[in-house]
């Protein structure tokens, strides 16, 4: 399977076709993400929009950070699909987390009570064409100092990320292939819906079967069989690099999925759901 390219400072790619990016206008996904975690003021929102005002457009399979460096900046995914991953010497890859629109990585400012002591043991790279903003560490520290509510939201985002990691461990350790994939699809849909990027019941899923296999610990053959099983039961539709849950309640029952962990840090019941009540 192809490896993600190792590039610490990937350049912007001009005039790149972006069929998998969400083209709707409105506040950026970072604002929508953090508004779901804390009561942001107009000043907080304006500050977030400034730090995401000059994103880079990157193609798929481009590293934002390799696994042998100390992060000097945070990254925020505004559009597209990225991941945390590790790669063994023999080429096998394990995807450990998805970074979706509105997600940040390497937020490790002193204001949040943590410092990185050495090089990271995993890389961060795009899985699809993405718009990504880089936030230098001094700018992030200053942002949190001037806007303490943003610091609270970033802490909540980190706790949510940790909760997602625990669910992924359960996925790999305790669930069948069908349950793993059902849970992943439910989670991805809920996370896109939380930032307003579900349209007509569908969310982006610009992933290959190899990407899904590297996420779920399954071979390509097993991924294909599991997808066919979900389709045969009429549970999901995958078309045009997008995912639609046709029977969301049944899929949630198979996966034992409850979205509360996605916003556990805020004390809420999970992502706000759209008016069509698709999740009921």
């Amino acid at each position: 399977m192809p490896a993600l390219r190792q590039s610490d400072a990937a350049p912007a790619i001009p005039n790149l076709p972006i069929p998998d990016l969400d083209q709707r206008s409105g506040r950026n996904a970072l604002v929508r993400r953090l508004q779901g975690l804390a009561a942001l003021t107009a000043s907080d929102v304006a500050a977030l929009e400034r730090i995401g005002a000059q994103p880079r457009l990157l193609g798929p399979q481009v590293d934002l950070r390799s696994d042998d460096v100390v992060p000097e900046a945070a990254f925020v995914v505004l559009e597209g699909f990225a991941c945390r991953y590790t790669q063994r010497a023999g080429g096998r890859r394990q995807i450990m987390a998805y970074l979706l629109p509105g997600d940040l990585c390497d937020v490790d400012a002193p204001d949040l009570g943590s410092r990185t002591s050495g090089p990271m043991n995993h890389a961060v790279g795009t899985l699809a064409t993405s718009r990504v903003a880089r936030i230098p560490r001094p700018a992030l520290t200053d942002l949190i100092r001037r806007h303490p509510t943003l610091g609270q939201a970033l802490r909540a985002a980190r706790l949510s990320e940790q909760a997602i990691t625990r669910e992924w461990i359960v996925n790999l350790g305790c669930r069948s292939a069908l349950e793993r994939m059902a849970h992943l699809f439910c989670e991805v849909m809920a996370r896109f819906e939380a930032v307003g990027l579900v349209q007509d019941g569908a969310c982006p899923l610009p992933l290959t079967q190899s990407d899904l296999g590297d996420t779920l610990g399954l071979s390509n053959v097993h991924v294909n069989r599991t997808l066919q099983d979900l389709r045969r039961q009429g549970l999901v539709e995958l078309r045009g690099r997008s995912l639609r849950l046709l029977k969301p309640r049944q899929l949630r029952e198979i996966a034992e999925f409850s979205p509360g962990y996605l916003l556990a840090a805020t004390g809420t019941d999970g992502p706000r759901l759209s008016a069509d009540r698709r999740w009921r």
Side-chain angles (χ1 to χ4, degrees):
M1 66 190 70
L4 295 183
R5 294 197 298 271
Q6 299 296 312
S7 172
D8 293 340
I13 302 175
N15 302 319
L16 188 66
I18 49 175
D20 52 299
L21 296 190
D22 183 89
Q23 297 298 311
R24 288 172 292 165
S25 61
R27 284 180 172 167
N28 71 47
L30 176 60
V31 171
R32 294 192 293 267
R33 169 84 168 111
L34 296 188
Q35 280 181 325
L37 297 170
L40 303 185
T41 66
S43 177
D44 296 332
V45 170
L48 286 177
E49 290 177 336
R50 284 195 297 272
I51 66 172
Q54 295 182 326
R56 285 182 171 181
L57 177 60
L58 302 175
Q61 312 299 318
V62 174
D63 273 3
L64 304 177
R65 174 182 56 69
S66 65
D67 62 357
D68 57 357
V69 300
V70 177
E72 296 180 354
F75 292 93
V76 56
V77 178
L78 297 174
E79 297 175 271
F81 223 103
C83 72
R84 300 179 188 272
Y85 75 97
T86 187
Q87 195 144 12
R88 299 183 61 186
R92 292 196 62 182
R93 177 182 63 165
Q94 178 66 52
I95 293 175
M96 300 179 291
Y98 288 156
L99 296 169
L100 306 183
D103 288 341
L104 296 101
C105 66
D106 295 342
V107 176
D108 198 354
D111 306 68
L112 298 181
S114 175
R115 289 183 182 272
T116 299
S117 59
M120 302 297 283
N121 64 351
H122 68 279
V124 178
T126 62
L127 289 169
T129 304
S130 303
R131 292 191 189 277
V132 180
R134 182 180 185 273
I135 311 172
R137 185 73 58 220
L140 182 61
T141 301
D142 184 64
L143 178 74
I144 295 170
R145 181 179 62 82
R146 293 175 180 271
H147 301 272
T149 303
L150 290 181
Q152 297 172 15
L154 292 173
R155 184 184 296 275
R158 176 183 293 180
L159 292 174
S160 177
E161 182 180 357
Q162 292 171 354
I164 291 170
T165 297
R166 290 191 290 272
E167 281 293 325
W168 280 38
I169 292 172
V170 174
N171 231 20
L172 290 172
C174 296
R175 294 185 177 118
S176 68
L178 186 69
E179 292 166 343
R180 291 181 199 185
M181 193 169 292
H183 195 280
L184 182 70
F185 286 171
C186 287
E187 179 186 289
V188 168
M189 180 67 73
R191 289 171 65 183
F192 271 109
E193 191 159 20
V195 292
L197 295 178
V198 171
Q199 191 169 25
D200 297 327
C203 73
L205 194 74
L207 304 179
T208 66
Q209 290 191 16
S210 291
D211 294 333
L212 288 173
D214 292 347
T215 301
L216 299 171
L218 302 173
S219 69
N220 286 352
V221 171
H222 208 165
V223 167
N224 185 270
R225 288 175 179 169
T226 306
L227 286 171
Q228 293 301 324
D229 195 2
L230 289 171
R231 288 189 176 109
R232 187 164 47 251
Q233 296 185 52
L235 296 171
V236 304
E237 178 183 77
L238 293 167
R239 180 182 299 177
R241 299 165 70 83
S242 68
L243 166 70
R244 178 175 281 105
L245 307 187
L246 302 177
K247 299 177 181 177
R249 176 181 291 180
Q250 187 173 338
L251 200 69
R252 290 178 70 175
E253 290 174 353
I254 290 172
E256 298 181 347
F257 177 82
S258 176
Y261 69 94
L262 296 174
L263 285 181
T266 67
T268 68
D269 293 329
R272 291 174 226 162
L273 304 180
S274 61
D276 66 5
R277 305 191 179 189
R278 180 168 293 274
W279 285 95
R280 294 191 176 183

